[in-house]
Amino acid sequence: MKKDDCIFCKIANGEIPSDTVYDDEHFRAILDLSPASKGHTLVLPKEHFDDALSADEMTVGEIFKTAAKIAAAVKKTMDCDGINIVQNNGEAAGQTVHHLHVHIIPRYSSEKEKIVTWVQHESEPAEQKDIAARIAAKLS
Ligand code: 5GP
Ligand code: ZN
């Protein structure tokens, strides 16, 4: 289902023009309007899901398959050294457009900054065991 006030629904379904690199029955891939690097591409499902956690299994599986295929074409085209495939869920995780999308970001060895970074902390064995058990319980 499309959502009336969602810009990515309109772009994915061709109601708003975009620099499209790929289009099939379920997905459209477009160049990001404010790219992190040249060739920064977004893969959007045509159906609206807020994020990967609320999307169905088929969409989540297929969007990553599609992203990997497009990433290979982006890498050949842009002649980059690496690619970040990134997907943000929720404002706290940096999501600004609340329609599921996967970023394909070309990376170059000459770049100084890493785009996807986090600070690593020491882990505490007892707490790790507790967290692992609690997550596992939700999955069983
Ligand atoms: P998020 O932060 O939600 O993971 O990523 C949203 C991305 O969408 C950003 O990189 C932003 O530049 C891009 N974006 C936002 N609005 C538009 C738009 O209207 N057209 C295109 N092509 N990209 C957009
Ligand atoms: Zn949408």
Side-chain angles (χ1 to χ4, degrees):
M1 277 260 286
K2 286 191 282 169
K3 204 174 156 198
D4 284 345
D5 57 348
C6 173
I7 186 159
F8 276 10
C9 278
K10 293 189 171 72
I11 291 174
N13 290 282
E15 289 162 35
I16 294 179
S18 61
D19 292 309
T20 294
V21 306
Y22 179 81
D23 185 30
D24 69 19
E25 192 188 344
H26 299 293
F27 300 102
R28 180 187 294 267
I30 61 168
L31 294 185
D32 195 296
L33 197 59
S34 310
S37 65
K38 285 187 197 300
H40 183 164
T41 299
L42 305 171
V43 188
L44 321 175
K46 293 188 175 179
E47 196 172 334
H48 181 92
F49 300 98
D50 286 350
D51 55 29
L53 281 60
S54 56
D56 62 77
E57 275 184 18
M58 191 283 288
T59 302
V60 174
E62 291 298 320
I63 199 171
F64 276 96
K65 265 197 227 170
T66 305
K69 183 167 75 179
I70 294 167
V74 169
K75 189 162 191 289
K76 279 192 196 136
T77 307
M78 303 312 296
D79 196 25
C80 54
D81 302 302
I83 296 253
N84 287 119
I85 296 180
V86 183
Q87 196 275 314
N88 300 325
N89 299 282
E91 272 167 35
Q95 187 178 11
T96 56
V97 180
H98 297 276
H99 174 120
L100 171 62
H101 55 279
V102 171
H103 294 259
I104 298 167
I105 308 176
R107 304 307 310 275
Y108 301 88
S109 303
S110 55
E111 290 173 75
K112 296 264 185 307
E113 328 87 59
K114 287 187 176 165
I115 288 175
V116 182
T117 58
W118 54 87
V119 178
Q120 291 191 290
H121 303 278
E122 272 185 32
S123 59
E124 205 274 296
E127 187 185 42
Q128 293 282 86
K129 279 196 172 44
D130 174 60
I131 292 169
R134 287 194 286 129
I135 296 171
K138 295 277 187 304
L139 292 166
S140 59

